[in-house]
Amino acid sequence: MSETSNEIELRGLCRRFREGEREQVVLDGIDLDVRRGETVALRGRSGSGKSTLLNLIGGIDAPDAGSVTVAKMELTGLSERERTLFRRKHIGFVYQSFNLVPTLNVADNVRLVLELNNVPAFQGSTRIDELLDAVGLADRMESYPDVLSGGEQQRVAIARALAHEPAVLLADEPTGNLDDATAEAVLGLLDKLVRDSSHTMLIATHSQHIALRCDRVLELHNGRLRETTSRPQ
Amino acid sequence: MIPATYRASFSYLLRHPWQLALSVIGIAVGVAVIVAVDLANASARKAFLLSMDTITGEATHQVIGGPSGVSENTYARLRVEYGVRAIAPVVEGMISVDGTSLTLLGVDLFAEQDIRSFTSQAQSADPAAPSDETLFSSFLITPGVVTTSARTAEQLGLAVGDTFDVVADGRSRQAELLATLASDASNNPDFLLVTDIATAQEWLGQAGWLSRIDVRVDDGNEAALDQLRAALPDGTKLLSAAGRTRSTVEMSKAFMTNLTAMSLLALLVGLFLIFNSVNFSVLQRRNLIGVLRALGLTRRQLLAMILIEAGVLGALAALLGVGLGIALGEHLLELVSRTINDLYFRVSVTSISVEPFSVVKGIVAGIGVALVAAAVPAIEATSYQPRLALTRSSLEHRARRALPTVTGIGVVIMAAAVLLIVVSGANLVAGLAAVFLLILGFALCVPLCVSFSSTLTAPLAQKLGGTIARMAVAGIASGLSRTGVAIVALAVAVAATIGVSVMVDSFRGSVSAWLDKTLQADVYTGALRGAMDPDLIDAIRNLEGVEDISTRKRAWVEDASGRTQLRVFDIPPEDFGGAELLDADPAEAWPAWQARDAVFISEPFAYQKSIGAGDSLTLPTDHGPREFAVAATFQSYDINASGVMMSRKTYARHYLDDTIDSLGLYLANGIEADDIVAQVENLSAGQQRLYVGSNANLQRESMRIFDRTFVITDVLYWLTLGVAFIGILSAMLALQLERAREFATLRALGMTPTQVGVMITAQTGIIGLLSGLASLPLGVVMAFVLIKVINRRAFGWQIDMSIAPSILAMSVAFAVGAALLAGLYPAYRAGQSQPAIAMREE
Ligand SMILES: Nc1ncnc2c1ncn2[C@@H]1O[C@H](COP(=O)(O)OP(=O)(O)O)[C@@H](O)[C@H]1O
Ligand SMILES: [Mg+2]
């Protein structure tokens, strides 16, 4: 595997949290390479550190030791501001609880990301139409998040996460708040969109369904990462 | 042991100390302002009453005369021929020692025992000091010996035996401190200089005359009173001592009522504030409340929990407020007593007296406000279905659905205010109540206006500043259940400042125009107190360059219905334009005033008595009560509502008094006012000290006193604005707390802390702008009501309303500035939101 085709490279990544006297080692030396266009499922029990790992990759959090390289950028040395600008350009987030901006309608939620990336307005509008059409919400552009169902909100969140063509899409239990049928539909959509545009995706989940759709499945356990080649039954 | 449910709820508050502190401070300041105003008013009144009581002593009645007082002969006759024992002559006047004003009380120690015991009770710690008897005789024999309280002696830097200068009637006199007087709870001889009656008469220039005769009659002994009355010569009257004191205090009532109203305004803004914070803290605990309800807490238990919490907070804040109020009261007292001294009567208050009643009022107000403010959100919260999460957006929906109803109630309340003004006639308290209804009604309409305007301007914001700007604007309408009340508080506070500023500014303009018209002479001079020396008047009249003079005498006449001030003028006919006659033809009114028994009455007097040109007025004269025709009403901004303008000729026919207290000098062409001022100063030096000033000087001095009167108003409205500022700050902080996840998401999406901060700052700025704009109509309406209703009812005068655009612009700018300032810290905090929070699950 040549160095250049890796979208994500983690080396010796450590993250500890201190709460008073108690120190908790959440990530204890993680090494990982994810190629461009690969989709990776990250499994592990609740509290195993999945979100923590995604935060480190997304530049939201900084590691105590080790290095994170995403889209050829070494994040460890970056300032808070540089990490923000990196995130703005290269990362798309999908959360369990959707996190749409309640004061903006569907179209504006997507537009916000485009504006942050200085996409010209006319170009942005085309992109918004395209994306919302792709997630099946072209007729809900003017709606506000509070009138959408959970599945619809998550579809908007997916459109928002992909709007600026990020290098990496990070999804943290994206179906955790959805019922099975809706989860399946949302997941299908996510999978399709990511593969169509050959994005790199890291998706934290404890759902087996999701894992089945991904190229690789990783298991986080006791602060270490384990590749599970055997697909779960 | 505190139940776990309470701990669960209370620990929430403790974990948000900022919010807790701000709401406590908000109520505390509101309470402090009312306590301070109340204490200052009460202390001034109490000090005045105590000093009146001290001077009055045990006297139940007083014999008073006309402008010159009561003749000594009357006293002698009463005492000797009618054998009234408990009767004492008094000569009273103002003097000054080293610039400090004191009341000079001239008494006859032989007659004092049954009236005032303190005047003869010298206090001496020194056993070697002369005995009471020796003191007593030196008091009678030695001219110029005085006694005063130990505290006043100390303040003046005097020790027993010292001689010092006293300025009385414009002349310097030598006095000697013979002893100090004991003070106790019912006697406070502070700022009182007691001397023998002969000394007082000499110093005050009223030989042969007494200020009054004090009489003590047993309760219910009507026969003695009747006998006494029958023995009195024409022009002297027997009046109840208590009634006289009361009518003096009454004069300042309107002023004190207005101050109280101002202090209630601060509490009203405080009410919005606590409403805001309690509402918020309840809303934020909706999950906790849901859990508790699901666990089986009844609605009643929940309601009790929230109300007890609010009550505890209110009590805490009220206690803090009382402490602050006492401290603030000390400062307000200075302003209040200075204003009372400028305008009404002499009061010397050195320290605030903490009235339990004022303190209780403050505490009750604090707790009451907290409970009322908590009741609405508490009832709302307990109406929730016991499910775990009521989403924020559905809360906002509820809030928005309620808007039209709330606005409707507001309109009804405003209509009620207008109705109240119309039906309440001249009642001041009803007028003030209407102002409060107006504010309340308007306040209820503000949220809908804000919601409307932010919805309307959101697309515009998008055009100007993109999606981030849109979020800033849209956030206002969508956070209305949180920020709405703070916006209202700011709008009300700013409106109040507009109302008061426009009122003061219009008032100032009217007074200035009035002074310009009234003061027609080129130079004014007069005695500082009492009458001018007649020789000096002649000398001034004969000065080179003085073409003509007008004379004035202010005299008080009194009967059982109260005191009336006579302004007696001898004016050259060319100067008749000086008084603006409101309801009569000057061509007819002036000659009548000049020649016949006709008088002019001031506008406040006319309003108070509901009389005008064509009516008649009965006044006590030295020859008994006489009826005078009212020839006209004249415009006046003199605080003494009881003004009657009388010509010198008319006065001379009815009163045995030819003294003059001031002069207006009309100068020949080309004569400099300043030259004449200097010449008059020369003449008066060594004779009688006079004040002298050019027309311009006098106008300037009058305006200075005018402005001084409103210093206290300024202080009060800055405090009100301060409370509103705290409201915005705590609302923005609370909102920021509430929206932590939203900000975290924005940060995760790549907004920098600066971008988030700028967005919040823009939002508060717009909130300020909207509050400022919303405050304009209320402010202007308030100004109108203050001018046309409140001032008219309180003081009787009419002011021309003029709205300076600069006041409006400044107020809006202030609202924006205050909001921006209040938004800085919340904006900073929002910028510091950890993007990781977005990942965390609720
Ligand atoms: N900011 C933080 N402070 C302290 N502990 C934290 C923090 N963030 C996460 N943790 C701890 O790290 C562990 C892993 O958390 P997380 O990454 O959220 O797990 P997962 O997403 O796999 O459920 C948990 O035990 C959690 O308590
Ligand atoms: Mg997680």
Side-chain angles (χ1 to χ4, degrees):
Chain A
M1 209 58 25
S2 86
E3 278 269 302
T4 47
S5 60
N6 276 346
E7 201 71 286
I8 304 174
E9 281 183 16
L10 309 180
R11 294 289 176 268
L13 206 56
C14 286
R15 187 72 177 100
R16 295 182 290 273
F17 290 110
R18 191 187 306 274
E19 223 179 325
E21 296 288 278
R22 208 173 60 94
E23 199 190 56
Q24 185 191 3
V25 180
V26 177
L27 301 178
D28 187 15
I30 304 275
D31 295 305
L32 175 67
D33 290 316
V34 179
R35 272 173 289 124
R36 176 170 300 148
E38 221 178 358
T39 59
V40 177
L42 187 61
R43 298 192 60 201
R45 271 191 295 193
S46 176
S48 59
K50 302 183 295 294
S51 300
T52 304
L53 184 57
L54 293 191
N55 281 344
L56 290 175
I57 296 170
I60 279 175
D61 196 9
D64 295 306
S67 70
V68 179
T69 311
V70 177
K72 310 221 164 32
M73 285 180 79
E74 161 72 55
L75 300 190
T76 15
L78 298 186
S79 69
E80 164 63 35
R81 182 181 162 77
E82 287 164 334
R83 276 191 281 131
T84 302
L85 298 182
F86 153 80
R87 200 158 63 224
R88 175 189 289 186
K89 192 161 187 300
H90 298 294
I91 304 289
F93 281 108
V94 177
Y95 302 97
Q96 179 175 346
S97 50
F98 326 132
N99 285 340
L100 297 181
V101 178
T103 49
L104 294 179
N105 65 22
V106 166
D108 284 340
N109 259 281
V110 180
R111 181 170 291 121
L112 176 62
V113 174
L114 294 170
E115 275 186 14
L116 283 174
N117 282 289
N118 293 322
V119 176
F122 70 94
Q123 220 171 311
S125 296
T126 333
R127 178 89 181 123
I128 292 166
D129 290 344
E130 218 173 81
L131 276 165
L132 290 179
D133 201 35
V135 298
L137 289 171
D139 55 339
R140 305 303 297 270
M141 299 232 294
E142 301 290 317
S143 301
Y144 280 84
D146 54 2
V147 299
L148 300 181
S149 71
E152 286 167 336
Q153 286 191 51
Q154 196 60 303
R155 273 145 64 196
V156 178
I158 290 170
R160 183 175 72 179
L162 292 173
H164 54 306
E165 308 268 12
V168 174
L169 184 74
L170 299 174
D172 194 359
E173 311 198 20
T175 59
N177 278 358
L178 302 173
D179 63 75
D180 288 350
T182 313
E184 190 57 37
V186 166
L187 219 50
L189 181 68
L190 184 62
D191 199 34
K192 180 179 177 301
L193 289 177
V194 168
R195 286 185 190 283
D196 282 357
S197 48
S198 49
H199 282 298
T200 308
M201 175 165 76
L202 202 58
I203 179 165
T205 180
H206 36 229
S207 145
Q208 302 183 347
H209 289 288
I210 298 182
L212 280 173
R213 292 177 180 273
C214 294
D215 299 336
R216 284 158 75 194
V217 178
L218 303 173
E219 173 106 21
L220 200 52
H221 187 69
N222 283 340
R224 298 200 166 257
L225 211 51
R226 205 166 60 199
E227 193 117 6
T228 39
T229 34
S230 57
R231 292 265 158 102
Q233 297 81 28
Chain B
M1 185 72 203
I2 302 165
T5 45
Y6 282 61
R7 268 182 286 141
S9 172
F10 223 86
S11 77
Y12 169 87
L13 291 181
L14 295 181
R15 275 193 290 131
H16 299 102
W18 261 98
Q19 243 171 300
L20 186 65
L22 286 177
S23 49
V24 168
I25 292 172
I27 318 175
V29 173
V31 169
V33 174
I34 57 166
V35 169
V37 168
D38 212 52
L39 285 179
N41 277 348
S43 301
R45 190 190 313 242
K46 193 176 159 189
F48 172 74
L49 288 178
L50 181 58
S51 68
M52 283 295 274
D53 279 354
T54 304
I55 291 177
T56 309
E58 300 295 317
T60 56
H61 292 76
Q62 293 173 344
V63 174
I64 59 155
S68 346
V70 184
S71 160
E72 257 177 4
N73 302 334
T74 308
Y75 171 69
R77 238 184 50 239
L78 291 177
R79 192 172 180 91
V80 178
E81 291 176 28
Y82 292 84
V84 184
R85 299 295 307 174
I87 180 168
V90 174
V91 172
E92 195 185 325
M94 297 306 300
I95 52 138
S96 67
V97 174
D98 249 357
T100 306
S101 294
L102 303 172
T103 301
L104 181 70
L105 191 68
V107 298
D108 172 1
L109 280 191
F110 285 118
E112 286 289 285
Q113 268 80 352
D114 296 319
I115 308 278
R116 278 169 291 266
S117 48
F118 79 92
T119 49
S120 51
Q121 274 168 7
Q123 198 182 33
S124 81
D126 181 6
S131 70
D132 274 5
E133 217 154 299
T134 330
L135 280 177
F136 203 75
S137 47
S138 15
F139 199 80
L140 293 175
I141 299 162
T142 325
V145 298
V146 299
T147 55
T148 187
S149 77
R151 191 153 25 149
T152 302
E154 191 189 28
Q155 265 175 19
L156 297 173
L158 297 176
V160 169
D162 284 357
T163 55
F164 57 101
D165 279 347
V166 166
V167 178
D169 201 21
R171 295 174 183 82
S172 226
R173 314 283 187 160
Q174 264 235 316
E176 182 193 339
L177 187 63
L178 180 69
T180 56
L181 299 169
S183 36
D184 55 41
S186 56
N187 289 310
N188 178 13
D190 285 350
F191 296 102
L192 205 58
L193 217 54
V194 180
T195 186
D196 181 59
I197 209 144
T199 302
Q201 282 175 326
E202 194 202 327
W203 285 1
L204 297 172
Q206 52 184 74
W209 292 91
L210 304 173
S211 303
R212 59 170 196 271
I213 302 168
D214 285 348
V215 180
R216 181 177 173 185
V217 174
D218 290 337
D219 224 18
N221 191 350
E222 286 300 320
L225 288 178
D226 286 342
Q227 197 193 2
L228 203 55
R229 254 186 221 112
L232 293 179
D234 275 355
T236 43
K237 294 154 290 272
L238 183 70
L239 299 178
S240 133
R244 293 193 69 209
T245 303
R246 204 175 327 111
S247 56
T248 310
V249 177
E250 281 290 298
M251 292 197 299
S252 66
K253 211 173 120 191
F255 167 72
M256 290 189 177
T257 307
N258 274 313
L259 277 189
T260 304
M262 285 284 299
S263 73
L264 286 176
L265 191 67
L267 190 71
L268 183 75
V269 175
L271 177 101
F272 288 124
L273 206 152
I274 171 102
F275 177 82
N276 200 33
S277 57
V278 173
N279 194 17
F280 215 111
S281 73
V282 170
L283 286 175
Q284 280 181 328
R285 275 174 292 177
R286 59 189 182 272
N287 282 339
L288 176 66
I289 289 170
V291 172
L292 293 176
R293 289 277 285 131
L295 290 177
L297 210 71
T298 65
R299 286 196 173 155
R300 186 180 297 231
Q301 283 171 315
L302 194 57
L303 194 67
M305 184 182 96
I306 295 172
L307 290 182
I308 287 174
E309 184 185 293
V312 169
L313 271 189
L316 203 75
L319 284 179
L320 188 67
V322 166
L324 274 176
I326 292 173
L328 180 63
E330 297 271 359
H331 296 281
L332 285 192
L333 178 61
E334 221 178 284
L335 296 176
V336 168
S337 44
R338 194 173 68 189
T339 305
I340 292 179
N341 273 329
D342 281 345
L343 303 181
Y344 301 101
F345 44 76
R346 239 195 79 70
V347 53
S348 356
V349 210
T350 41
S351 70
I352 198 138
S353 64
V354 179
E355 301 292 313
F357 185 56
S358 304
V359 170
V360 169
K361 261 197 280 189
I363 290 178
V364 169
I367 297 176
V369 159
L371 288 181
V372 167
V376 176
I379 290 168
E380 205 204 332
T382 49
S383 71
Y384 296 163
Q385 292 306 312
R387 73 183 140 152
L388 291 188
L390 190 57
T391 59
R392 219 185 86 94
S393 55
S394 71
L395 269 173
E396 289 299 342
H397 270 300
R398 288 165 71 138
R400 237 173 295 173
R401 257 207 317 274
L403 277 187
T405 318
V406 168
T407 308
I409 296 173
V411 171
V412 170
I413 292 179
M414 284 196 282
V418 173
L419 194 70
L420 183 60
I421 289 176
V422 173
V423 302
S424 62
N427 191 309
L428 174 62
V429 175
L432 290 169
V435 172
F436 276 88
L437 285 181
L438 213 56
I439 292 174
L440 194 66
F442 181 83
L444 293 176
C445 298
V446 169
L448 188 70
C449 299
V450 170
S451 164
F452 249 135
S453 38
S454 91
T455 311
L456 285 179
T457 48
L460 181 72
Q462 170 98 46
K463 275 214 186 69
L464 292 177
T467 307
I468 296 180
R470 186 192 192 107
M471 270 195 292
V473 174
I476 296 170
S478 72
L480 210 55
S481 73
R482 314 298 197 277
T483 47
V485 184
I487 294 177
V488 169
L490 184 61
V492 165
V494 173
T497 64
I498 293 177
V500 172
S501 305
V502 169
M503 186 268 282
V504 173
D505 193 54
S506 303
F507 197 2
R508 205 174 191 284
S510 293
V511 167
S512 168
W514 169 70
L515 281 174
D516 200 41
K517 194 179 301 175
T518 309
L519 301 177
Q520 297 241 330
D522 303 305
V523 171
Y524 286 89
T525 178
L528 296 167
R529 287 184 191 105
M532 284 178 82
D533 186 331
D535 295 340
L536 204 47
I537 295 177
D538 283 339
I540 293 171
R541 195 195 300 269
N542 294 330
L543 279 177
E544 182 82 32
V546 174
E547 253 184 3
D548 212 342
I549 67 166
S550 63
T551 73
R552 190 199 67 175
K553 158 84 184 173
R554 279 181 188 235
W556 287 96
V557 295
E558 186 176 356
D559 60 15
S561 69
R563 279 150 53 93
T564 305
Q565 192 185 57
L566 301 183
R567 298 171 207 173
V568 181
F569 288 97
D570 189 0
I571 333 178
E574 309 85 83
D575 195 24
F576 281 173
E580 172 90 349
L581 303 185
L582 300 171
D583 56 358
D585 177 7
E588 286 171 25
W590 282 102
W593 176 83
Q594 182 77 327
R596 281 172 276 130
D597 277 358
V599 295
F600 295 159
I601 56 174
S602 72
E603 190 180 20
F605 188 73
Y607 183 79
Q608 198 183 56
K609 297 255 150 83
S610 309
I611 53 174
D615 295 324
S616 67
L617 173 70
T618 304
L619 292 171
T621 73
D622 285 351
H623 312 294
R626 286 285 183 280
E627 201 165 274
F628 293 85
V630 175
T633 304
F634 64 96
Q635 188 187 26
S636 170
Y637 294 107
D638 202 312
I639 194 82
N640 288 304
S642 52
V644 171
M645 189 168 150
M646 191 179 270
S647 71
R648 191 84 214 186
K649 284 179 185 147
T650 308
Y651 185 71
R653 279 196 297 276
H654 298 282
Y655 300 91
L656 309 168
D657 173 27
D658 58 1
T659 60
I660 288 169
D661 54 31
S662 65
L663 302 178
L665 312 182
Y666 298 79
L667 307 185
N669 275 342
I671 302 291
E672 282 295 320
D674 288 342
D675 289 346
I676 299 296
V677 168
Q679 290 185 45
V680 173
E681 273 167 353
N682 270 339
L683 281 177
S684 82
Q687 276 216 56
Q688 182 183 23
R689 214 174 295 171
L690 301 175
Y691 73 79
V692 202
S694 64
N695 185 315
N697 257 334
L698 194 62
Q699 294 203 30
R700 214 175 308 125
E701 182 61 14
S702 304
M703 291 321 290
R704 202 179 62 80
I705 292 181
F706 175 89
D707 290 335
R708 209 157 85 167
T709 308
F710 285 99
V711 169
I712 187 161
T713 313
D714 277 4
V715 170
L716 290 181
Y717 85 51
W718 277 107
L719 285 168
T720 307
L721 285 173
V723 175
F725 176 80
I726 294 174
I728 290 286
L729 177 60
S730 78
M732 289 312 294
L733 271 178
L735 193 67
Q736 179 263 327
L737 208 72
E738 176 97 343
R739 292 166 63 187
R741 171 175 288 270
E742 189 183 324
F743 296 143
T745 306
L746 294 175
R747 290 278 290 111
L749 290 179
M751 272 176 77
T752 60
T754 313
Q755 281 175 311
V756 173
V758 166
M759 183 182 85
I760 301 299
T761 307
Q763 193 171 56
T764 46
I766 296 166
I767 284 180
L769 183 66
L770 292 179
S771 306
L773 292 176
S775 70
L776 292 181
L778 177 62
V780 170
V781 170
M782 259 179 86
F784 180 83
V785 175
L786 286 177
I787 289 172
K788 298 296 176 195
V789 179
I790 302 303
N791 260 285
R792 181 81 167 138
R793 290 182 185 184
F795 306 108
W797 49 53
Q798 311 218 58
I799 300 167
D800 296 323
M801 180 162 169
S802 70
I803 302 171
S806 63
I807 291 179
L808 303 185
M810 285 282 288
S811 301
V812 175
F814 178 84
V816 174
L820 282 178
L821 197 62
L824 283 183
Y825 180 66
Y828 169 78
R829 286 262 300 252
Q832 298 306 304
S833 290
Q834 290 307 312
I837 293 171
M839 286 284 194
R840 239 173 260 153
E841 290 316 314
E842 284 178 322

